Amino acid sequence: LGSARRARLPPGEMGWPLVGGMWAFLRAFKSGKPDAFIASFVRRFGRTGVYRSFTFSSPTVLVTTAEGCNQVLMDDDAFVTGWPKATVALVGPRSFVPIPHDEHRRIRKLTAAPINGFDALTGYLPFIDRTVTSSLRAWADHGGSVEFLTELRRMTFKIVVQIFLGGADQATTRALERSYTELNYGMRAMAINLPGFAYRGALRARRRLVAVLQGVLDERRAARAKGVSGGGVDMMDRLIEAQDERGRRLDDDEIIDVLVMYLNAGHESSGHITMWATVFLQENPDMFARAKAEQEAIMRSIPSSQRGLTLRDFRKMEYLSQVIDETLRLVNISFVSFRQATRDVFVNGYLIPKGWKVQLWYRSVHMDPQVYPDPTKFDPSRWEGHSPRAGTFL
């Protein structure tokens, strides 16, 4: 870099050759003290909000303030996605993770309606409603204790597979679940493709996942060619039909990588956030009572002719929405994301050199007492009438 540019770098340390700070990163990631990694930088170098390190085989700048995160996330000219090699390889080269900005915008636009559109959500809702209700009854009828997170993961996986692949048979669902679990273990591992390392097993799992999804996709395209309809419309059907303003459709690789990405994002986050929200409500009886009263009032307002919940009912769940936002703030499933500098750029007065990776530590923002007073306290009321300023709720 030269002495002049080196002098403008953030404080920090690059760690051991080749390994850098990865042992400390992974130790914090796997421990019950997720803030330990950043806390060690703050303790040694002060609250600069920007630190240098060497992680995932790259020189890296860690950004831990709301202003810094917002600057990096919003500057598409100075920063592009910079996820670790393992994540890119496992999620897929045609997913949102590694693709250029213009292509990212195109695929995001094409997939928005099949995932979050009114028609899609309305179609998914009855199955979600039935699955949650039947799962709750099964747990209640069990007669003893259940391993709650395990059961939640099974329930959310069943929902996600139904949304993605409609009437997938049990064999397909089991094959997807086994492969997905192994894939997830390697998602933030070091990209070491040797026996015994999580990344190697995850690569095998991805190949199996792709084979299953490609098989289903081939069946769908063959049925369409014959004019045969499978009945209900799922996300794969909607992705096959999606086309941009120029009439371009998604190819097989794009559809498969988008499904793998959403399978990872939707299943893992849904199960864990539901677990933590349940734990927090159980620890706070007054909040539980308020959340329950809101649900009971909504149930009483549903006309007898209506079967199940509608999106209109969900929009009435104001307090539950606050509970979920507070759970996301306190737990924050995606507590770090990755970018890469396309040119020399300054954040918080410190240089991020061209080509360096950037880690945005969302959790550090969410646990900053200057942003959220008493940040370790679970307090849904902090969201009542509150619109978070840019960069503070990630």
Side-chain angles (χ1 to χ4, degrees), residues 219-296:
E219 290 175 3
R220 296 289 174 89
R221 292 200 186 280
R224 283 168 172 270
K226 297 176 182 176
V228 178
S229 172
V233 178
D234 56 32
M235 191 185 294
M236 182 175 276
D237 292 322
R238 289 185 168 96
L239 291 175
I240 291 171
E241 294 168 358
Q243 58 181 333
D244 62 19
E245 60 277 3
R246 293 165 56 186
R248 291 182 300 170
R249 296 182 183 272
L250 297 169
D251 61 33
D252 284 9
D253 288 345
E254 288 172 323
I255 291 174
I256 288 171
D257 283 357
V258 165
L259 288 173
V260 170
M261 178 187 65
Y262 279 114
L263 180 67
N264 178 268
H267 171 242
E268 200 69 17
S269 58
S270 299
H272 279 84
I273 287 297
T274 305
M275 179 198 74
W276 280 111
T278 306
V279 170
F280 292 145
L281 286 175
Q282 194 162 17
E283 291 175 346
N284 296 274
D286 55 332
M287 298 174 190
F288 174 75
R290 182 175 174 184
K292 186 180 181 187
E294 179 181 70
Q295 296 302 306
E296 290 172 337

